Amino acid sequence: VPTVFGLAPGAVVEDTCECDGAPYCPFTIRWKATGSAEEAVAGLQARLRVMEDRLEGLEATVAEVVSSNDVTRTLARIAGTAARAMRAPAHVLVLDEAGWGLGARVVGTAEETAVETVRRADLSGDRDLLVAPIVSGKRTFGRLAVLEAGRVFRPHERRSLLSYARLAAAALDSATAVAEARRQAGTASALLRLSTALGQVMTSDEMATVLARAVPEVVDCDRAVVILADPRSGRSRIAGAYGYPREVEERLVATELDLPSETAGEFDILRFDDPEESVGTELMRISGSVGAAVVPMVVDDVTAGQVGAAVTERPERLAHTADLEERLRGIASLGAAAARNGILVDTIRHQATHDALTDLPNRVLILDRLGQLLKRRRRGGQPVAVLFLDLDGFKDVNDTLGHEAGDRLLRATAERLRKAVREADTVGRLGGDEFVVVVDGDEAGPTPEAVAERILDLLHQPFPLDDRRSLTVTTSIGIAVGAVGKAGDLLRDADVALYEAKAAGKSRAVRFRPGMGRKGLERFERELDLPKAAVS
């Protein structure tokens, strides 16, 4: 009998043998009652060498856990070392979360059955199987197991496997901390870039686009929208979107919404399968999202808009957590500060390009839009028509009824002009009682003369001044049509045609023809000479 671990020497003797005619072969094994001191020492030394080998393996594994940045490789090393330490031919490592690229590792046995067997196994220990939970003070990651058919594992082997499982948990804790640190650093970096970008002077729409692009960098989502409340119309609109197909994004950005007023602190989670029909779930249905999280942007205790994150799969990614809400509120906070500046920029730009009395585009914006139209028309489109008009006898209205009545008349004229043209056309005020209509003509649309006749009819209808009085005025219109040249030239031609309409008796529309410019200039020069003639 081999002498191991301090066992006393023994001997095996065959008493009889079937080869000699015996019915069977009995053996007798005898041990000495006690071994010598030398034999006991030798046994202890052998056991110590085995324990030292195991300790060296454990130390090597600990060193790898501390030094390695590759968590997948480290976990595989831990599982393999544990199996070798217990002389088991197979091992299984099962992680409940597959975020590390190692959902399950099986070596030495069939994977199909081993993983499920380990997941269902009793942690107290089974025959053929020894399982230890991979648990840290923060969370449960999974299980580590060794397998050998026909084997009963001993208590010291269970303690050893628990040690390796704790090492695996430590490695995963470390990897989780590193991943979270990197995620936080990435978030901080994204927010810093966003803050820098939003610090630039930009309009509300530009701000919304920058903000929407930043949301997926901070939150685990596939797409985002930024909704802004329009203080002039009282409605809300999608001003920025990111992550959607182009045709869907174009449709969304052009969408106006009637959203319920949100409280300053409300945070909302939307699901596609929400039984309560809402604007949010309808938008998700249109865009193909399955879940969304929305947080308001608050400016001076007033909700100026909303920031929304959406996903196209796994809606649980946007489950309500403190971390998700904190991240979205951080974005919304930056967006709210930028929205305040954007509103100011919008106001300044609007004032610079619109008439203060009627809120119509002024000369600057009219010339810009007219120039853009002419650029497109040079590529073969229909000509552009400009209608230059003013109110006949407007000075008499100011002189007899006062400037307040004149202002009311100008505002009413602007409103009627808006109704007289199509949405694609532009109505503007140049100053005084001079207005311009830019007709974006096409073959299916009305002719410039037809538009002018409609304007003449609308403006000739009485304007109510108060409950008792109304005012009827006439209008003169000059028309210029062209597809080439400069915007200022077309506007000048319409002005020349306007003077021809005045000279022809007013309350009519006249189209510009070549040669009118010379006659108008001559008439203008004659008008300049009239005071001199009167003096002489």
Side-chain angles (χ1 to χ4, degrees):
V1 177
T3 302
V4 294
F5 297 158
L7 295 176
V12 180
V13 177
E14 184 179 21
D15 297 329
T16 58
C17 182
E18 286 182 300
C19 296
D20 297 331
Y24 52 88
C25 300
F27 291 82
T28 300
I29 304 176
R30 295 184 178 84
W31 282 274
K32 293 182 180 180
T34 57
S36 64
E38 291 79 4
E39 292 169 341
V41 170
L44 291 173
Q45 288 176 339
R47 180 178 294 181
L48 180 60
R49 284 193 295 271
V50 172
M51 294 179 66
E52 287 175 344
D53 289 342
R54 290 180 177 174
L55 182 59
E56 288 177 1
L58 188 60
E59 289 175 343
T61 306
V62 170
E64 180 159 353
V65 170
V66 173
S67 62
S68 177
N69 292 324
D70 188 345
V71 65
T72 301
R73 178 180 176 183
T74 299
L75 291 174
R77 173 71 182 272
I78 291 172
T81 303
R84 288 193 298 273
M86 279 165 277
R87 304 294 191 269
H91 67 265
V92 177
L93 176 65
V94 178
L95 298 182
D96 293 333
E97 296 184 7
W100 307 107
L102 188 66
R105 172 189 167 89
V106 180
V107 175
T109 186
E111 181 175 353
E112 293 77 9
T113 59
V115 173
E116 196 59 34
T117 299
V118 170
R119 282 180 173 154
R120 295 198 309 263
D122 184 353
L123 293 178
S124 62
D126 295 336
R127 184 180 182 87
D128 305 337
L129 176 68
L130 184 60
V131 183
I134 303 175
V135 182
S136 71
K138 300 178 181 178
R139 61 191 297 182
T140 298
F141 293 99
R143 293 183 170 193
L144 174 63
V146 292
L147 304 85
E148 183 175 358
R151 177 172 174 180
V152 177
F153 289 93
R154 304 298 179 183
H156 72 275
E157 291 173 319
R158 173 173 173 75
R159 290 193 297 270
S160 179
L161 188 64
L162 285 171
S163 298
Y164 284 102
R166 284 193 292 270
L167 279 176
L172 288 168
D173 264 345
S174 176
T176 302
V178 170
E180 179 61 22
R182 288 176 178 169
R183 192 167 73 97
Q184 294 287 359
T187 299
S189 178
L191 290 175
L192 179 60
R193 291 195 302 272
L194 176 60
S195 177
T196 302
L198 294 179
Q200 307 298 317
V201 176
M202 61 179 70
T203 65
S204 296
D205 286 354
E206 292 168 342
M207 178 278 298
T209 300
V210 171
L211 199 64
R213 289 180 176 275
V215 173
E217 295 188 57
V218 181
V219 177
D220 179 20
C221 65
D222 305 311
R223 47 181 54 164
V225 295
V226 175
I227 302 172
L228 296 181
D230 190 338
R232 290 191 294 271
S233 68
R235 303 193 71 196
S236 297
R237 62 188 177 87
I238 299 177
Y242 179 73
Y244 295 88
R246 179 180 295 275
E247 62 277 6
V248 175
E249 181 175 331
E250 291 175 353
R251 181 181 178 186
L252 287 176
V253 171
T255 302
E256 288 191 350
L257 308 171
D258 284 320
L259 294 179
S261 58
E262 303 289 345
T263 59
E266 185 172 346
F267 179 88
D268 199 7
I269 295 292
L270 304 175
R271 294 287 294 271
F272 176 75
D273 54 0
D274 192 338
E276 296 184 3
E277 185 66 26
S278 68
V279 174
T281 53
E282 180 62 22
L283 282 176
M284 286 194 293
R285 186 175 292 109
I286 292 173
S287 62
S289 300
V290 296
V294 181
V295 64
M297 292 191 300
V298 181
V299 179
D300 299 329
D301 295 327
V302 176
T303 300
Q306 294 175 320
V307 176
V311 292
T312 57
E313 60 180 1
R314 294 190 294 123
E316 64 274 9
R317 293 156 58 194
L318 291 179
H320 189 186
T321 64
D323 180 66
L324 173 64
E325 183 171 350
E326 181 180 0
R327 288 169 180 268
L328 273 178
R329 286 197 183 279
I331 296 174
S333 177
L334 290 174
R340 183 187 295 108
N341 296 333
I343 292 172
L344 179 60
V345 172
D346 290 343
T347 302
I348 294 173
R349 290 191 178 183
H350 186 83
Q351 291 174 348
T353 57
H354 287 75
D355 173 56
L357 179 64
T358 62
D359 201 37
L360 291 176
N362 61 15
R363 180 182 294 270
V364 174
L365 186 54
I366 289 170
L367 288 174
D368 178 71
R369 291 183 179 178
L370 183 55
Q372 296 298 325
L373 277 175
L374 287 172
K375 285 182 181 179
R376 293 200 296 269
R377 293 300 182 262
R378 292 191 189 106
R379 295 192 289 269
Q382 292 295 315
V384 178
V386 175
L387 280 59
F388 201 130
L389 61 101
D390 72 3
L391 303 179
D392 300 327
F394 177 72
K395 183 177 182 300
D396 295 336
V397 175
N398 275 339
D399 292 343
T400 58
L401 300 177
H403 287 282
E404 183 178 349
D407 288 346
R408 288 202 301 272
L409 175 60
L410 291 174
R411 284 193 291 267
T413 300
E415 188 61 32
R416 289 190 184 182
L417 287 174
R418 289 191 184 98
K419 295 177 180 178
V421 300
R422 300 171 303 172
E423 186 176 349
D425 302 330
T426 299
V427 178
R429 182 189 177 210
L430 299 183
D433 62 332
E434 293 181 334
F435 294 86
V436 171
V437 176
V438 179
V439 180
D440 188 3
D442 54 55
E443 294 180 355
T447 64
E449 286 77 9
V451 175
E453 287 299 324
R454 176 174 172 77
I455 291 174
L456 290 173
D457 291 340
L458 282 176
L459 296 187
H460 190 63
Q461 296 174 15
F463 289 92
L465 293 178
D466 50 40
D467 295 338
R468 295 177 292 105
R469 297 179 300 169
S470 62
L471 177 68
T472 301
V473 298
T474 60
T475 306
S476 298
I477 302 175
I479 304 172
V481 179
V484 295
K486 297 179 180 179
D489 295 341
L490 197 60
L491 192 62
R492 180 203 60 206
D493 292 345
D495 189 13
V496 170
L498 170 64
Y499 277 101
E500 290 290 333
K502 293 279 190 181
K506 303 180 182 180
S507 188
R508 68 193 62 217
V510 173
R511 184 163 180 164
F512 175 82
R513 299 184 306 276
M516 275 188 180
R518 181 176 54 80
K519 293 180 180 179
L521 182 59
E522 291 174 354
R523 183 179 64 253
F524 182 66
E525 290 174 347
R526 287 197 302 270
E527 291 175 354
L528 288 178
D529 289 337
L530 284 177
K532 296 180 182 179
V535 171
S536 60

